[in-house]
Amino acid sequence: MSILLNRETRVLVQGITGRIGRVQTKWMLDYGTNIVAGVTPGKGGEEVEGIPVYNTVAEAVSKQGAEASVFFVPAGAVKNAAIETIDAGIKLIVIITERVPVHDVMEITAYAREQGVRLVGPNTPGIITPGEAKMGIMPGITFTPGRIGIISRSGTLAYEISANLAIADLGQSTVVGMGGDPVVFTSMPELLELFEEDPDTDMVVLVGEVGGVQEEKAAQFIAERTTKPVVAYIAGLNTPEGKRMGHAGAIIQGGMGTPQSKITALRQAGVPIAEYPLEIVGLAQKCL
Amino acid sequence: MRMYEFEGSDLFRREGIPVPDCAVATSPQEARQKAEAIGLPVVIKAQVLVGGRGLAGGVQTAESPDQVEEVAQRILNCSIKGLPVHRVMVARKIAVTQEFYVGVTVDGYKGTPVAILSSAGGVSIEEVARAHPEQVVSRPVPIATGLVLSEAQQMARKVGLDGEDLAQVASILHTLYGIFRKYDALITEINPLVRTPQGTYLALDAKVEIDDSSLYRHPNFQVALEDSIPNPLERRGHQIGVTYVELDGEIGIIASGAGLGMATMDIISRRFRPANFLETGGAITEDLLYQTMDLVLQKKGLKAIFINVYGGINPIHEGAKGVVRYIREHGITIPVVAKALGNRQEETWEILREGGVSVVTEVATEKGIERLARLMEGGV
């Protein structure tokens, strides 16, 4: 088992006929993902890698029983596509797309909460349950099946930490990229709760970075609710104030969003902090 | 995209928020003409895209035409936090009986807009919120319905207003929320909103930042790149499509991914100092990495380059070709160390090795930095 995604999950790919949609569909299939349908408006009737393409999400749901969707949809089309997907009854949506307008993200968030739909992203590498399935763009090669849950604000850093853990024979149950934008659909505490309830996850690694308050909120949740061990690394100890560090959400502004504030909050919640990414391995070994 | 105060004021006026008579000037003579048309005394304000200009002497009052010229000259000749002042705003000086803070911004954690009102304006709202939380009212706004006027009125009542004052301030907050939504703002803020002795309200400042990701639907908004990114290397990075942040060290960094880039900086900082942060994004091509090498090598005093990339969405073998082509064409002799993992990694290593790059095949960035240190000490 795992959280959010497993080998049975019937996955829909939206934007499947685009350049990136096609390549990533192939790689997700190669990894073992149970992709059942694609959607691109106007391209219904085509096939990509043998997967049938439909014009609407409703068709993909009724004809192929799609239950989760991964988006390679252009930024300006994400809002309408997300609302269509929620209305069609899909319960998990992963939005890989970068540069989705923040107001659109807020509108989608409000609608998804009302309808009880889980979204991950935007601007995320996606979700991978190693050895079973992936909804996203991460290279499968850096992940290994196991019992550690990873929640990461950064994509490539999650790849590196997962690969470091694999060398020490520590695999992952599920790895979730939260997305690098100032507003993301699913918070760190929400993901911690999913891992807390997952019988196949023994501990959680948090990979945070400067900006925002996700890590501080996670610390509060851990202090109050979590029984499984949690360890963390926070990237950006040497970040200058007022500079966006590649992610729109990774910025220290007016003294807010500093790594020190996150590290202090997590330490107070009893979370051991790795000073550098490789130290996560040793901290994880001590917990298990 | 942060707007200049004069652009924000203009937007406020068009959308129905009262602002004082004002004009923009680029020379002392022009400032004098504009001041005479508006009527003295006036306030002369530096137009720069940073906060704290008042403390830096960028906001001053002038009583006479001669003084306008003199003050405008002084402000136009100075720079504020490293930004040269090219324009001043000349605004009618307003008599003030009370100052408020009115703002709408994004609560990134909750994923909703948030409306904020305070009876202590004219100072940093963060400080007021820390020292006197009872003077600040803040409400998350459900985005589907928006900020309804009765909610704005309740907020105004909570900061101690009633009667005509309550009506005016609530209406301004309501309008400000409308501007925030209409223009895809990350923040719309009036600090201070002032009450005049006549009992009217005016916005004496205008802070507006538009979400860059939404600019495609607001084609009329444009800020010159020189103004929004004053650092020439950071501007060049923006032009080629990467995020570059100049730092003061000697090791150049090229990383794919923001978190990986920051972690690389943290690890390098244990023994050396990073010369830059650089994140390529997910669209690596041969040409992009060629130009990225050129950008990183612009930095004076560079002693080595560390490349840290993952092939997930990125074709790293294409990037490798750009790196080695740059090294060959420019005869680069400082150590270049690369850690490249993911899809097509073996092919990538081959290309890099042939081009004289020291390739690290281990996973941990820490190991890559150890290699870099050995090379810098003259080892292999």
Side-chain angles (χ1 to χ4, degrees), chain B residues 182-299:
Chain B
K182 180 174 174 184
Y183 295 101
D184 277 295
L186 298 175
I187 185 165
T188 51
E189 181 183 276
I190 307 169
N191 191 18
L193 174 75
V194 300
R195 184 185 192 276
T196 67
Q198 295 76 36
T200 57
Y201 283 82
L202 288 169
L204 288 207
D205 195 6
K207 181 174 171 187
V208 179
E209 185 176 353
I210 307 296
D211 173 20
D212 287 336
S213 298
S214 77
L215 285 175
Y216 72 93
R217 53 192 180 202
H218 304 288
N220 295 335
F221 292 152
Q222 273 178 4
V223 167
L225 214 48
E226 290 75 23
D227 292 348
S228 60
I229 313 179
N231 180 304
L233 294 180
E234 294 176 9
R235 194 158 63 236
R236 175 79 189 133
H238 180 85
Q239 284 163 341
I240 65 176
V242 301
T243 305
Y244 178 100
V245 175
E246 186 174 6
L247 303 168
D248 56 6
E250 65 283 342
I251 311 294
I253 297 173
I254 297 174
S256 71
L260 186 69
M262 284 187 269
T264 306
M265 268 173 64
D266 293 346
I267 297 164
I268 286 177
S269 299
R270 281 201 283 193
R271 315 177 58 156
F272 308 104
R273 291 179 312 157
N276 66 278
F277 165 86
L278 189 147
E279 201 272 298
T280 61
I284 284 184
T285 59
E286 175 178 343
D287 195 49
L288 182 77
L289 275 210
Y290 182 90
Q291 294 192 52
T292 298
M293 285 290 286
D294 189 63
L295 169 60
V296 169
L297 279 151
Q298 304 285 317
K299 175 80 179 173

Side-chain angles (χ1 to χ4, degrees), chain B residues 307-337:
Chain B
I307 299 171
N308 199 358
V309 292
Y310 276 86
I313 200 164
N314 269 317
I316 50 176
H317 60 292
E318 293 292 336
K321 290 179 202 162
V323 170
V324 302
R325 180 157 64 86
Y326 190 89
I327 291 173
R328 277 201 194 108
E329 286 178 15
H330 294 79
I332 301 304
T333 53
I334 59 170
V336 179
V337 177

